[in-house]
Amino acid sequence: MESIVVNPYVVIDCQGTRNETAVCHRAGNRPIWNETLRSFAIKGDIDLNQSSNSDHSPHFATLMDTMKIQIFDIDENMGNKLIGEASFKLSELQL
């Protein structure tokens, strides 16, 4: 049986800020990223009834903002392939 070679990386989008991890080369189906991405902070002292379109800086997210996480397989011959994705409001996180 031939094993599948996967070279995944993660893209995280939140409040206009996009982050990418390094590629986890030849990771198979259980990649491990030993990285910390620090490009936005969650501003938790807000009124949850407010819209996320308030005048806060793009690198500050509120609990009403949505985070989107996508996992891609990088392939120089075939192009990058979306493996999976998830979106959720930051208010759903247990902080």
Side-chain angles (χ1 to χ4, degrees), residues 12-94:
I12 300 172
D13 287 302
C14 187
Q15 189 56 26
T17 301
R18 178 184 167 109
N19 288 286
E20 288 186 18
T21 65
V23 176
C24 196
H25 293 283
R26 303 185 65 80
N29 60 2
R30 295 185 184 263
I32 298 173
W33 288 272
N34 191 15
E35 293 183 52
T36 302
L37 302 175
R38 299 174 191 225
S39 64
F40 71 91
I42 298 173
K43 191 175 183 180
D45 57 346
I46 62 161
D47 179 359
L48 290 177
N49 294 319
Q50 289 180 350
S51 165
S52 64
N53 295 329
S54 62
D55 292 327
H56 58 276
S57 175
H59 61 277
F60 279 98
T62 69
L63 294 176
M64 294 303 294
D65 290 320
T66 299
M67 176 179 282
K68 182 176 183 179
I69 299 174
Q70 298 175 300
I71 302 173
F72 291 90
D73 177 18
I74 193 167
D75 186 330
E76 294 176 10
N77 299 322
M78 303 288 288
N80 298 351
K81 178 183 173 187
L82 179 66
I83 297 172
E85 66 183 337
S87 296
F88 54 90
K89 287 211 177 280
L90 294 176
S91 61
E92 296 174 14
L93 294 175
Q94 293 181 353

